[in-house]
Amino acid sequence: MNNLRTNKRTIDSMNFWSGILFGLGAVAFLDEAIFHQLLHWHHFYDLSTTSVGLISDGLFHAFSWFATVGSLFMVAYLRKQKAWKKRRWFGSYMLGAGVFNLYDGIIQHKIMRIHQIRYNVETFYYDLIWNVLAAALIIIGLVVIRKAKKAERVSEGQVAT
């Protein structure tokens, strides 16, 4: 019985962390592609030369791909084990995306000041939209995870609380 509980915890954890990694990686990729490459609004690290900024973008891009690909390997394993919990994973994906954006918007933009969303404009509304969107993603993720856990307990015959 103890082994089954440990295995369930491992499967639940893998569903959660693969979703978190996918959310981090996907949002980091979109940030890099849209704000760094297409719009040229900033680099990951803007406190040095453009060359250093481009190198930091490359490292940031590599991180996003490692997180995304790593999460997909975890999902492939879960699917092979017939243990992929799509709703829980989706909630974790939203949570990871929101946490990344909130970290970026508050820690990197405001506290560390390594870059801003955009330069030479009033950033208040950019920051507001960025951080409100991040908070919304976090809330949606937490709600979806909670509902998924409750639905899983009900389907396993446990009493939902």
Side-chain angles (χ1 to χ4, degrees), residues 143-160:
V143 168
V144 170
I145 291 168
R146 185 170 185 215
K147 286 185 177 186
K149 284 181 178 182
K150 189 180 279 191
E152 290 165 16
R153 283 195 303 268
V154 168
S155 73
E156 293 169 357
Q158 298 175 2
V159 177

Side-chain angles (χ1 to χ4, degrees), residues 21 24-25 28-29 57-69 100:
L21 282 174
L24 292 171
F29 172 78
D57 285 349
L59 294 171
F60 179 54
H61 197 61
F63 158 78
S64 73
W65 273 110
F66 283 126
T68 304
V69 171
F100 174 84

Side-chain angles (χ1 to χ4, degrees), residues 2-161:
N2 197 17
N3 193 24
L4 286 175
R5 205 173 334 162
T6 302
N7 189 38
K8 182 184 178 333
R9 229 178 285 142
T10 301
I11 292 299
D12 289 349
S13 179
M14 191 174 281
N15 272 283
F16 177 78
W17 286 108
S18 64
I20 291 288
L21 282 174
F22 192 81
L24 292 171
V27 169
F29 172 78
L30 289 173
D31 183 0
E32 168 70 25
I34 294 169
F35 299 110
H36 299 219
Q37 295 174 3
L38 296 175
L39 296 175
H40 298 263
W41 282 3
H42 63 263
H43 296 291
F44 180 76
Y45 185 75
D46 275 339
L47 299 178
S48 187
T49 65
T50 301
S51 181
V52 170
L54 288 171
I55 291 168
S56 71
D57 285 349
L59 294 171
F60 179 54
H61 197 61
F63 158 78
S64 73
W65 273 110
F66 283 126
T68 304
V69 171
S71 74
L72 293 176
F73 273 104
M74 293 166 77
V75 168
Y77 173 80
L78 289 166
R79 288 180 54 107
K80 184 177 179 183
Q81 301 298 316
K82 297 185 183 353
W84 187 36
K85 298 176 180 179
K86 294 175 193 165
R87 264 203 260 169
R88 182 185 294 232
W89 185 88
F90 180 74
S92 300
Y93 159 69
M94 299 296 280
L95 179 61
V99 166
F100 174 84
N101 271 0
L102 198 58
Y103 165 80
D104 186 40
I106 293 175
I107 305 297
Q108 292 183 355
H109 295 178
K110 297 303 166 201
I111 295 173
M112 295 172 63
R113 297 188 152 296
I114 63 174
H115 67 262
Q116 294 299 312
I117 293 175
R118 194 168 180 194
Y119 293 99
N120 303 319
V121 298
E122 174 55 51
T123 61
F124 175 78
Y125 293 107
Y126 289 95
D127 291 331
L128 181 67
I129 291 167
W130 190 265
N131 292 321
V132 166
L133 177 62
L137 289 171
I138 290 169
I139 291 167
I140 291 167
L142 291 172
V143 168
V144 170
I145 291 168
R146 185 170 185 215
K147 286 185 177 186
K149 284 181 178 182
K150 189 180 279 191
E152 290 165 16
R153 283 195 303 268
V154 168
S155 73
E156 293 169 357
Q158 298 175 2
V159 177
T161 56

